[in-house]
Amino acid sequence: VAKEWEKCREVLGQAAGLNPQGADGAELYFRMGRVEAELDNAEGALEHYTKALEFDQNHAEALAAVEEAARERKDWMEVARLVHIKAKSAPDADSQLEFLCELGTLYAERLDPPEGGLPFLEQALQIAPDDPKVLKPLADLYFAAGDLEKAEPMYIGLIESTTKTRKRSKELAPY
């Protein structure tokens, strides 16, 4: 089996010599990365996945592979960069909201300064102005940044929304 993967490596290397561009280049380098992964060469695979993103930064499989490697290394700045790419090219508002909230959380929990997540959560607020998964981390970041004028009405809104429904989620229990 390893011989077959070696042959694939050789053939794909020859194809790379033709200097493919755009989506074709991205797909070729992604496939080269897969071959390296099959041959237990994680470093080589990552190099090819990264090269695929140079040709097409939205290549979903290469993006996922590079993001996974960054998470394994705990390279949170790289994870944030990649999630930002996904947020910018999200196919719909729900997906974009998910990525923007993830960016806010990455900054709040793993990156300095935590306030770097504010623009992403503020953008998420435009998509879902009443969503607790946006309001809570945004209020927390405003509070951490000392902007109580912005944090307070959000906290009040969160409390009011829980009393209207008489249902308190564990995320909102502290309020």
Side-chain angles (χ1 to χ4, degrees):
V1 175
K3 251 186 177 177
E4 292 173 16
W5 286 114
E6 291 287 345
K7 181 68 175 164
C8 286
R9 175 192 276 162
E10 182 183 323
V11 170
L12 292 173
Q14 290 171 356
L18 299 174
N19 296 318
Q21 300 298 311
D24 291 338
E27 186 61 27
L28 175 65
Y29 280 95
F30 170 73
R31 289 173 188 236
M32 291 173 78
R34 293 293 305 242
V35 168
E36 294 303 322
E38 289 293 332
L39 292 169
D40 291 326
N41 179 4
E43 189 175 313
L46 182 58
E47 286 177 26
H48 288 303
Y49 296 145
T50 301
K51 182 79 170 175
L53 293 177
E54 290 175 18
F55 285 98
D56 177 5
Q57 74 172 2
N58 295 313
H59 189 284
E61 293 165 305
L63 196 56
V66 173
E67 181 183 344
E68 180 182 341
R71 286 181 189 277
E72 287 174 7
R73 293 189 316 271
K74 297 185 183 342
D75 182 349
W76 303 116
M77 189 55 78
E78 177 69 357
V79 172
R81 184 185 75 79
L82 297 165
V83 173
H84 190 219
I85 290 169
K86 293 192 306 187
K88 289 191 296 187
S89 62
D92 54 59
D94 287 341
S95 298
Q96 186 179 36
L97 179 66
E98 177 186 335
F99 297 134
L100 291 169
C101 288
E102 183 177 357
L103 279 165
T105 301
L106 279 168
Y107 274 90
E109 296 176 358
R110 305 209 183 264
L111 296 170
D112 263 342
E115 296 81 22
L118 284 172
F120 304 114
L121 290 171
E122 288 168 341
Q123 189 177 352
L125 187 65
Q126 299 301 311
I127 297 169
D130 298 321
D131 192 331
K133 73 180 177 198
V134 176
L135 290 172
K136 183 196 177 307
L138 183 55
D140 290 346
L141 281 181
Y142 281 142
F143 183 81
D147 194 342
L148 302 183
E149 288 181 29
K150 289 183 179 175
E152 182 181 23
M154 289 183 176
Y155 286 135
I156 291 169
L158 287 165
I159 292 167
E160 288 175 353
S161 72
T162 60
T163 57
K164 282 181 188 172
T165 62
R166 296 189 184 264
K167 179 178 152 188
R168 292 180 59 100
S169 70
K170 66 181 178 182
E171 291 90 15
L172 299 178
Y175 311 105

